[in-house]
């Protein structure tokens, strides 16, 4: 089963993709990790990508799609894969479709996590974690029980990601809307869109996704 995850930064795609990976035995593919692996292995594609990066140039879609073709041919992708972060543009989606057609494969569904962007910005901009044990907190939704003290380890040092501020979050959301939202009508025209309420509790989001997965499984068995 081959899946694309779409949704703005912080919508929970990574959490759900990891769960699907464990539950269904399909592989979550990060194009960034894939690129680093190809460069480290010194493959032809990796060497080409390394040369482009060292020259300060963007990696062409054709190179990324070629790396993806090599990655999904590996045995651990036999049951399928999850793409989170690719494609980002219609041109990339078209290149991906061409590659999958050539390899006699296809995308089974595009899961779209819909969220309220204002609420999402509040969620992300309030996040912080314990420096000692990594426990996660939020200023409004999950503060520490005792101010300045970690509930788990009793630590007093907390950290916030530099980009977890409202201004940066809104810029990331604007970029998503400008670049990635045009993918929705592209995949909608193919009947692949499955909209998920990303504002629901995590367990409910998981149930919605599982219902989509069950529906695909039933169709493929017919």
């Amino acid at each position: 089963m081959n899946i694309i995850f779409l949704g703005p930064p912080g919508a929970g795609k990574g959490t759900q993709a990891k769960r699907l990976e464990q539950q269904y035995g399909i592989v979550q593919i990060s194009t960034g990790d894939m690129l680093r692996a190809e460069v480290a292995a010194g493959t032809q594609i990796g060497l080409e990508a390394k040369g482009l990066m060292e020259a300060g140039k963007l990696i062409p879609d054709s190179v990324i799609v070629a790396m993806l073709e090599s990655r999904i041919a590996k045995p651990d992708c036999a049951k399928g894969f999850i793409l989170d972060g690719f494609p980002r543009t219609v041109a990339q989606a078209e290149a991906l479709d061409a590659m999958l057609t050539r390899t006699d494969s296809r995308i089974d569904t595009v899961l779209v996590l819909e969220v309220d962007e204002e609420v999402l910005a509040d969620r992300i901009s309030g996040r912080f974690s314990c420096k000692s044990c990594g426990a996660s907190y939020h200023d409004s939704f999950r503060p520490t029980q005792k101010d300045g003290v970690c509930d788990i380890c009793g630590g007093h040092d907390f950290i916030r990601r530099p980009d977890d501020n409202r201004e940066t979050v809104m810029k990331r959301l604007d970029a998503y809307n400008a670049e990635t939202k045009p993918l929705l009508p592209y995949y909608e025209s193919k009947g692949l869109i499955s909209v998920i309420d990303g504002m629901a509790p995590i367990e409910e989001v998981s149930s919605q996704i599982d219902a989509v997965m069950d529906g695909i499984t039933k169709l493929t068995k017919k």
Side-chain angles (χ1 to χ4, degrees):
M1 195 177 302
N2 303 325
I3 299 168
I4 291 173
F5 251 121
L6 293 180
K13 301 187 300 296
T15 298
Q16 291 298 330
K18 184 60 65 179
R19 185 186 67 84
L20 290 175
E21 188 176 42
Q22 295 170 347
Q23 185 168 336
Y24 293 91
I26 50 183
V27 179
Q28 181 182 8
I29 297 177
S30 159
T31 51
D33 291 345
M34 184 177 64
L35 176 59
R36 286 184 285 272
E38 292 282 350
V39 171
T43 64
Q44 181 177 347
I45 297 172
L47 291 173
E48 181 181 353
K50 183 179 180 182
L52 290 166
M53 288 188 293
E54 289 177 345
K57 297 179 180 179
L58 293 174
I59 307 298
D61 293 345
S62 58
V63 174
I64 295 178
V65 171
M67 285 192 296
L68 186 57
E69 182 175 356
S70 174
R71 178 67 186 88
I72 65 177
K74 293 183 178 180
D76 64 341
C77 288
K79 290 185 177 180
F81 57 81
I82 305 165
L83 295 180
D84 172 10
F86 187 89
R88 291 183 184 275
T89 65
V90 172
Q92 289 178 348
E94 291 172 341
L96 174 63
D97 280 347
M99 181 271 284
L100 292 174
T101 299
R102 187 172 65 251
T103 57
D104 196 27
S105 188
R106 67 182 183 189
I107 296 299
D108 292 296
T109 190
V110 178
L111 297 172
V112 180
L113 284 175
E114 284 198 339
V115 297
D116 181 305
E117 293 187 359
E118 288 293 327
V119 175
L120 183 65
D122 288 339
R123 280 184 181 177
I124 297 174
S125 59
R127 297 187 302 194
F128 64 99
S129 60
C130 175
K131 188 174 182 180
S132 299
C133 71
S136 298
Y137 299 98
H138 191 281
D139 292 331
S140 302
F141 307 125
R142 194 190 172 194
T144 55
Q145 294 178 12
K146 186 177 180 181
D147 189 33
V149 181
C150 176
D151 299 348
I152 307 301
C153 71
H156 296 274
D157 292 329
F158 297 91
I159 54 176
R160 296 177 187 267
R161 287 176 47 178
D163 57 349
D164 277 357
N165 61 78
R166 191 174 185 85
E167 182 181 359
T168 302
V169 171
M170 293 309 294
K171 285 181 179 178
R172 291 164 65 194
L173 290 172
D174 287 344
Y176 167 78
N177 288 330
E179 297 174 6
T180 309
K181 267 199 171 179
L183 284 172
L184 299 182
Y186 176 82
Y187 283 117
E188 195 166 22
S189 69
K190 296 174 179 292
L192 293 175
I193 294 288
S194 297
V195 177
I196 306 297
D197 178 10
M199 301 305 297
I202 291 178
E203 295 78 10
E204 188 176 328
V205 173
S206 299
S207 295
Q208 292 177 57
I209 292 173
D210 287 343
V212 174
M213 300 289 282
D214 290 344
I216 295 170
T217 301
K218 290 174 182 176
L219 283 175
T220 56
K221 286 183 178 179
K222 287 183 179 181

